[in-house]
Amino acid sequence: MVSTSLFTGLSGLRTHQQYIDVIGNNLANVSTPGFWSSRATFGDILSFTMRSGSGPSGNFGGQNPMQVGLGTQIASIDMNTGQGTFQDTGRQLDVAIQGKGFFTVTDGLRTFYTRVGTFGIDADRTLVDLRSGLRVVNAAGSNIEIPLTATLAPQASTEITFEGNLPAVVTGPLEEIVESSSPFLAGTAATASAAPTGATTYDISAFPNGKLLLSVNSGAQQTIDFSSTHFADPAAATATEIAARFDQVAGLTTTADPTSGGVAFATVILGDNAGLKFDDASSSVGLLQALGLPSARQNGTESAADGDTDLASLTTRTAAYEAGDQITVGGTDPDGEQVSDTFIYGTDGTTIDSLLTFIETTFGTAQVNASIDTSGVLRLEAADKGPANLSLSIGDTSSKNNYPTFTIVQNGTGPDTAVTPMDVIDSLGRTHPVNMTFTRSESDPAVWDMQASMDASEGEIIADTISTIRFNQDGSFNVIGGGSSTLSFLFAGITAPQNITVNLGTSGQFDGIAMVGSSTSVTATGQDGYATGELLNIAFEEAGRLQGFYSNGQTRTLDTLRITLFPNEGGLLRVGDTLFVESPNSENPIATSAGNAGAGVIRPGSLENSNVDIAEEFVKLITAQRGFQANSRVISTADEILAELVNIVR
């Protein structure tokens, strides 16, 4: 039995040595991308039976078997197929699998499988595994060829998509309007009258050195001399003599009536600024009463002028008009043409209405409308809506009136429009700038038309209009009511017309163009044409598709990685370089692509780290070391027993 314990200890030494070998390999590959760690499992060796067991019999109870074990052995070394962590490399052709599956590579004769996606391009422009030079297999089972110098052929535009907003607020079309900078006002003069004390004469004999004070239009007081030397008989001064005393007063008209003896006073200017204020001089108190003049201030009045207002009654006058006085009318008509003519007061009329009629005739009755509103503002309005160059000026050659200036208060504009530019691609890959102009209908504000335009050097547009674009009451797109939704271009150098469908969105939805609010944001968001492109870059995406990015902004799928699944991944056979091959127990491979049939997805720009758990491996290493030491002690103990047996013989 001593020899049995020696060999039992020996089996323990051998088994733990192999255990340490497995642990050492795991730790050696702790930094190896895609490495799967291994696990060693122990099993005992068939035991030596010293006594078989027996069941109870009669008065004797049963006995268990008596066996002595013969040692241990490695029962299995299994792979840990758990997912490793990921390391972001930033390299576009580095890929990892998140989930199950293997990349497939080949040397042309044999097929290998790996979790490590360190891919690159060789001199033949083929995708290869940079570690081994093996070629990467695509989903169809072929090599993945990279068209580094291939040209992506152009595609002519066949559809244009629009999105954004057309304003619901109507701001055009508008007619051009010119208005006076201030209103025309009709006014009256400030008036006063003197009444005789006698039948027709005035007795001012009590004031031999009489003086009167007069302020006209709030101006400085003027002294009017009424001394007796100015009258033939101061006790019976006539109306003519009284009126003559005011001849030198500026801004005042005085009218004597010899029949009644009355004297009328009136300011030249009219309106609220007109005023008369008579006062006695301090030395002549009572003179006003003797003349019958009022001591209170007398004021003029004013109100908004209308069509019947006489031009001589305007508050802007400096003197009253007389027949034959000339008023100049000039400016530019809506087309920008200079016009001018002279209005003769008395001959062409005397009222504002007659002046308005004269203005319309001068500018052309079919082109303008002249009017005066209730506030007295004179307005000249273009008859037609749209951009215009209208202007007006009124002058006075006799300098009897200071007419206000005229300014544009509303610029003439066309219908509401919105313009969005875009590039259309022809069949040769050439780019043609085209403007798409949306114009609101003048008769229905919920309807727009769209018209395409381009420079004549680019070619011609055979069908350039999408008409009657309607919107619903909530502002959503309704329908193209004009029939066709297609534009047709005939580009220079190409004989066949190119038809392009216009996509404005879904009826009743807001996924295209809309008509809400007051802002304009409509734009051509896309078209399906593109110019010739050169390959700029390549990269993988989650589904394992290798995408090519071209200089014309296009992206194309160049190929797709094959992902291989095995019913029993642990049954694969390692062949080095973290490559695997099939074994009888791995079952047949299942070829698929990322995300399908249970295969994992691709993580671009990453590599899968080793799934070795360093802490766990160190714990196992300690256990293996202690196991090795214990089995060594069994052998040394058995040796000591054998030595004692030898000593007995002595």
Side-chain angles (χ1 to χ4, degrees):
M1 294 300 293
V2 174
S3 60
T4 299
S5 62
L6 285 171
F7 285 105
T8 299
L10 178 61
S11 69
L13 290 177
R14 288 174 175 170
T15 302
H16 281 84
Q17 179 60 58
Q18 292 174 338
Y19 189 20
I20 292 173
D21 290 341
V22 172
I23 297 171
N25 184 61
N26 287 343
L27 291 173
N29 286 282
V30 71
S31 298
T32 303
F35 177 79
W36 278 352
S37 63
S38 296
R39 180 193 67 176
T41 305
F42 288 20
D44 64 344
I45 299 176
L46 180 64
S47 302
F48 171 71
T49 303
M50 298 174 62
R51 181 184 69 193
S52 299
S54 62
S57 177
N59 293 326
F60 294 94
Q63 291 182 315
N64 292 326
M66 184 182 297
Q67 294 178 297
V68 177
L70 299 178
T72 185
Q73 62 181 350
I74 295 293
S76 69
I77 299 177
D78 306 314
M79 283 189 293
N80 174 12
T81 60
Q83 179 80 61
T85 60
F86 296 99
Q87 175 186 355
D88 291 332
T89 66
R91 186 174 176 273
Q92 293 172 328
L93 293 183
D94 281 349
V95 286
I97 301 174
Q98 184 173 344
K100 291 186 174 296
F102 297 84
F103 300 114
T104 309
V105 293
T106 181
D107 62 2
L109 299 176
R110 299 179 65 193
T111 301
F112 302 89
Y113 310 97
T114 182
R115 296 279 296 183
V116 185
T118 52
F119 299 150
I121 303 171
D122 67 5
D124 292 334
R125 301 171 188 172
T126 303
L127 193 68
V128 297
D129 177 8
L130 294 177
R131 302 168 305 134
S132 61
L134 297 174
R135 294 183 174 180
V136 182
V137 177
N138 65 11
S142 303
N143 296 335
I144 296 179
E145 307 292 340
I146 311 299
L148 293 176
T149 58
T151 298
L152 182 64
Q155 176 176 299
S157 302
T158 61
E159 183 181 52
I160 302 174
T161 301
F162 289 86
E163 294 179 5
N165 188 58
L166 292 168
V169 178
V170 180
T171 59
L174 299 174
E175 63 279 356
E176 185 138 305
I177 299 175
V178 174
E179 288 184 354
S180 57
S181 56
S182 60
F184 282 60
L185 301 175
T188 61
T191 61
S193 61
T197 53
T200 60
T201 62
Y202 300 82
D203 183 3
I204 57 172
S205 59
F207 308 96
N209 298 307
K211 296 184 184 298
L212 196 67
L213 301 178
L214 172 62
S215 173
V216 178
N217 304 329
S218 301
Q221 285 185 323
Q222 303 179 57
T223 302
I224 311 299
D225 186 7
F226 274 84
S227 58
S228 58
T229 58
H230 296 294
F231 302 94
D233 181 3
T238 66
T240 302
E241 291 174 322
I242 297 297
R245 307 314 307 138
F246 295 89
D247 286 346
Q248 304 303 315
V249 178
L252 182 69
T253 61
T254 307
T255 305
D257 184 358
T259 302
S260 65
V263 180
F265 301 91
T267 57
V268 174
I269 68 169
L270 310 178
D272 291 343
N273 292 327
L276 288 176
K277 180 66 171 70
F278 295 93
D279 288 295
D280 286 326
S282 59
S283 60
S284 306
V285 176
L287 181 57
L288 276 183
Q289 184 177 2
L291 294 173
L293 288 171
S295 60
R297 175 184 170 88
Q298 307 299 303
N299 296 309
T301 63
E302 66 183 31
S303 60
D306 57 24
D308 294 331
T309 298
D310 194 296
L311 295 172
S313 298
L314 296 176
T315 59
T316 51
R317 81 176 197 182
T318 57
Y321 278 134
E322 298 176 359
D325 285 339
Q326 297 181 350
I327 301 171
T328 60
V329 173
T332 54
D333 65 15
D335 295 329
E337 297 293 331
Q338 293 285 339
V339 296
S340 64
D341 205 347
T342 301
F343 177 89
I344 307 298
Y345 183 81
T347 301
D348 295 315
T350 59
T351 64
I352 289 180
D353 272 344
S354 61
L355 178 62
L356 295 177
T357 301
F358 185 83
I359 291 173
E360 288 182 347
T361 302
T362 301
F363 281 78
T365 54
Q367 295 204 71
V368 298
N369 298 308
S371 62
I372 187 169
D373 65 17
T374 56
S375 66
V377 173
L378 195 151
R379 170 182 293 185
L380 184 63
E381 182 177 314
D384 296 328
K385 297 178 179 180
N389 293 290
L390 189 62
S391 66
L392 172 65
S393 64
I394 299 177
D396 189 343
T397 58
S398 60
S399 300
K400 291 184 176 181
N401 208 317
N402 296 317
Y403 289 100
T405 59
F406 289 80
T407 59
I408 296 175
V409 296
Q410 176 174 290
N411 285 305
T413 64
D416 291 337
T417 61
V419 181
T420 175
M422 70 165 306
D423 290 334
V424 175
I425 311 299
D426 66 20
S427 58
L428 298 178
R430 299 177 302 179
T431 299
H432 301 275
V434 177
N435 282 330
M436 304 294 185
T437 302
F438 290 83
T439 303
R440 191 194 302 270
S441 168
E442 295 187 28
S443 59
D444 188 345
V447 172
W448 295 71
D449 295 329
M450 189 196 78
Q451 186 174 38
S453 61
M454 67 180 183
D455 192 271
S457 62
E458 305 287 341
E460 64 175 306
I461 306 178
I462 302 173
D464 65 351
T465 303
I466 306 297
S467 60
T468 319
I469 302 170
R470 294 187 178 276
F471 293 88
N472 298 310
Q473 289 189 354
D474 63 356
S476 62
F477 170 67
N478 184 339
V479 69
I480 296 175
S484 176
S485 61
T486 302
L487 302 174
S488 185
F489 296 82
L490 187 61
F491 293 113
I494 300 176
T495 57
Q498 181 174 326
N499 296 326
I500 300 178
T501 301
V502 173
N503 181 5
L504 300 178
T506 306
S507 180
Q509 303 295 320
F510 289 88
D511 57 355
I513 64 173
M515 189 182 72
V516 294
S518 59
S519 63
T520 301
S521 61
V522 66
T523 184
T525 57
Q527 49 91 17
D528 59 353
Y530 49 83
T532 303
E534 304 296 332
L535 185 63
L536 297 178
N537 204 355
I538 58 175
F540 284 99
E541 47 94 55
E542 281 192 352
R545 292 187 286 265
L546 181 60
Q547 303 289 342
F549 302 95
Y550 289 83
S551 58
N552 57 3
Q554 299 300 305
T555 301
R556 291 290 181 270
T557 298
L558 304 179
D559 218 324
T560 303
L561 287 171
R562 168 178 285 188
I563 303 298
T564 302
L565 300 174
F566 288 92
N568 178 25
E569 295 177 337
L572 291 171
L573 185 63
R574 299 181 195 264
V575 293
D577 286 335
T578 57
L579 297 174
F580 299 90
V581 294
E582 302 169 44
S583 77
N585 198 39
S586 63
E587 262 293 356
N588 294 326
I590 301 171
T592 183
S593 58
N596 295 317
V601 297
I602 298 299
R603 284 179 60 103
S606 300
L607 290 177
E608 182 182 4
N609 290 321
S610 168
N611 66 0
V612 174
D613 186 333
I614 298 178
E616 181 181 353
E617 295 302 321
F618 276 128
V619 171
K620 290 180 180 179
L621 185 61
I622 293 171
T623 303
Q625 180 185 7
R626 293 307 181 192
F628 191 90
Q629 289 175 341
N631 281 278
S632 298
R633 185 57 58 86
V634 170
I635 293 174
S636 64
T637 301
D639 178 55
E640 291 176 1
I641 293 173
L642 287 175
E644 289 296 327
L645 288 176
V646 172
N647 289 336
I648 291 174
V649 176
R650 293 179 183 174

